[in-house]
Amino acid sequence: MSKLALLGGDPVRTKLWPPWPDGREQDASAVQEVVASGQWWHHGGSQVAQFEQEFAEYHGAAHAVATSSGTTALATALLALGLEAGEEVVVPAYTFQATATAVLLARGIPVFADVQADTLNLDAEAAARSITPRTRAIIPVHFAGLPADLERLLPVAATQGALVLEDACQAHGAVYRGRKVGAIGAAGGFSFQASKNLCAGEGGAVLTDDPEVAARAQAIRDCGRVPGQTCDDSHILGYNFRMTEMQGALLRSRLPLLEAETELRWRHGRWLTEKLASLPGLTPLDPSPRPADRRAYHLYAMRYRSESLGGLPRDRFMQALAAEGVPCRPGYEAPLYRDPAFRQGSFRAADSPAAEELCREVVWLFHSLLLGGDEDVADIVRACDKVVGCHRDLL
Ligand SMILES: Cc1ncc(COP(=O)(O)O)c(C=O)c1O
């Protein structure tokens, strides 16, 4: 095998990866039209309202309510579902911090529970151990675009009359047992921040089938304005969590791409798993799909087992992979309950050995690496194969 690029050899790949976001001319024109129209917020324009309708339809949900971010979408959903101040919400210990800060924003108390070691998703047994009569909701995250085990989590929530709010911020277009995620629990929250599989720089949305939850969410994100009433008639405590018309137009321009891009990531992601599964030291966090599932692959995540590669540290492995032309990231440094922001509060956190271990072992690849041709994905396999094959040179 040829010399590792990190040690002066030729890299497997020097070609650039598909850019993300990949702004196109029609995206620019869509925004430009709104700019020229002078209708920049959704009370004057129609882009946000039309996007809400199209996004709800795409996910098979009755209602979508657009917001300023994924964080505000989750907080709006919790408030619209009736979360009272001081009630508890079970969240995974391994997730982006916003899953938990959204709970705080909605005046609730996050309770951290462990994830499954082979999926990074909330573990139903851990959630069952964390739920109490004070629990109003459980937030499973469809982490990295892999649908969470809702068939087991929904009954866990029901034991205490709690609701399930899906955090689908990484899972646009993912399918769980034939249904798009985000529209299966009582509500779902999405993010359109720049890295996301559907993006507008920033933005978010709540999905729900319940018209009353949708109406409350509309008021909460719009300074308490009840749709159809004037500002003075507003009776709901609300905030400015609104999306701009420019974001609405950009999202409308990009939504028609989502299906084909999701299919491409799905095909490439599964192929990658098939090829990487036989390499020592790497375990794709990509279990066989349940029937009628489709993963969104916002991230391609794998576990790096240093003990299988002579103790080569994960950082050194990632440096070598990056030098071969495959950029990668280590994921979260620590479970959320060890984040200084959460350590200051007295939050309940059950032991989360899986989350602790995953923080030490996970390696992420960004979804745009799956958006090229078959040869591009083959480069990922060649690079992993080369670094694994030559790992002794790095010891
Ligand atoms: C799992 C998860 N939840 C919530 C969020 C929050 O979304 P935003 O950054 O749009 O507020 C993100 C993304 O950033 C996320 O990945």
Side-chain angles (χ1 to χ4, degrees):
M1 198 164 279
S2 60
K3 194 171 173 185
L4 287 169
L6 194 61
L7 302 176
D10 290 331
V12 165
R13 176 187 175 96
T14 51
K15 206 173 133 199
L16 292 176
W17 292 95
W20 192 267
D22 59 341
R24 306 160 307 151
E25 255 176 47
Q26 50 268 57
D27 300 330
S29 330
V31 175
Q32 182 53 38
E33 270 176 41
V34 175
V35 172
S37 76
Q39 302 293 348
W40 291 8
W41 76 319
H42 84 251
H43 283 295
S46 63
Q47 295 299 319
V48 171
Q50 288 185 71
F51 171 68
E52 288 175 333
Q53 210 171 350
E54 290 159 7
F55 193 67
E57 255 167 42
Y58 174 77
H59 283 90
H63 308 276
V65 179
T67 61
S68 53
S69 70
T71 310
T72 54
L74 293 170
T76 298
L78 286 169
L79 291 167
L81 290 171
L83 183 79
E84 300 279 350
E87 285 184 322
E88 294 185 349
V89 179
V90 176
V91 300
Y94 189 98
T95 178
F96 184 60
Q97 45 104 332
T99 311
T101 55
V103 176
L104 293 170
L105 194 57
R107 305 159 306 146
I109 300 175
V111 173
F112 300 100
D114 207 359
V115 293
Q116 297 167 310
D118 58 343
T119 67
L120 296 168
N121 281 337
L122 184 62
D123 180 60
E125 281 169 24
R129 284 193 296 275
S130 301
I131 196 168
T132 73
R134 292 187 301 279
T135 310
R136 171 51 72 101
I138 294 185
I139 308 187
V141 179
H142 302 296
F143 197 84
L146 176 70
D149 195 357
L150 293 178
E151 254 175 25
R152 293 182 62 218
L153 288 162
L154 285 160
V156 167
T159 58
Q160 296 289 351
L163 298 166
V164 168
L165 166 61
E166 297 170 66
D167 182 338
C169 288
Q170 300 189 0
H172 317 69
V175 178
Y176 177 80
R177 305 234 165 207
R179 294 172 69 189
K180 297 245 172 59
V181 306
I184 301 171
F190 288 81
S191 164
F192 306 122
Q193 172 268 343
S195 73
K196 299 300 189 294
N197 294 18
L198 175 64
C199 69
E202 299 288 359
V206 177
L207 288 185
T208 182
D209 282 337
D210 184 330
E212 287 177 17
V213 172
R216 278 198 295 275
Q218 282 174 351
I220 289 160
R221 64 97 195 256
D222 191 17
C223 303
R225 289 186 185 94
V226 178
Q229 297 183 17
T230 67
C231 222
D232 297 338
D233 296 329
S234 137
H235 298 296
I236 288 185
L237 181 65
Y239 309 91
N240 178 355
F241 291 159
R242 289 185 300 264
M243 175 182 278
T244 67
E245 281 290 286
M246 285 73 110
Q247 288 167 296
L250 191 48
L251 288 164
R252 289 192 69 215
S253 169
R254 308 232 13 129
L255 182 58
L257 306 174
L258 179 61
E259 187 55 26
E261 287 175 347
T262 307
E263 274 296 309
L264 185 61
R265 291 186 194 94
W266 173 231
R267 182 163 70 77
H268 281 156
R270 277 180 307 159
W271 185 82
L272 198 52
T273 295
E274 208 184 293
K275 299 292 166 195
L276 294 182
S278 58
L279 284 186
L282 295 180
T283 309
L285 288 164
D286 197 18
S288 303
R290 289 162 287 230
D293 274 12
R294 179 175 73 180
R295 183 172 179 167
Y297 288 107
H298 172 61
L299 301 164
Y300 185 90
M302 45 195 175
R303 276 180 91 153
Y304 172 72
R305 315 263 190 182
S306 131
E307 68 276 12
S308 305
L309 297 179
L312 181 72
R314 177 179 61 169
D315 282 357
R316 194 76 174 136
F317 171 82
M318 288 193 306
Q319 279 169 5
L321 196 57
E324 297 301 336
V326 177
C328 50
R329 289 185 50 194
Y332 305 127
E333 262 175 42
L336 271 188
Y337 51 78
R338 289 212 281 112
D339 186 305
F342 294 101
R343 274 209 316 255
Q344 287 163 18
S346 50
F347 301 112
R348 276 203 299 127
D351 276 352
S352 298
E356 295 279 351
E357 213 168 272
L358 289 161
C359 288
R360 290 192 293 271
E361 294 188 349
V362 165
V363 175
W364 290 345
L365 308 178
F366 190 51
H367 65 88
S368 62
L369 272 60
L370 302 179
L371 285 178
D374 296 357
E375 267 308 295
D376 293 303
V377 194
D379 278 345
I380 302 175
V381 178
R382 279 193 278 270
C384 289
D385 196 31
K386 182 175 170 191
V387 177
V388 168
C390 299
H391 74 273
R392 280 188 195 82
D393 302 345
L394 294 169
L395 292 172

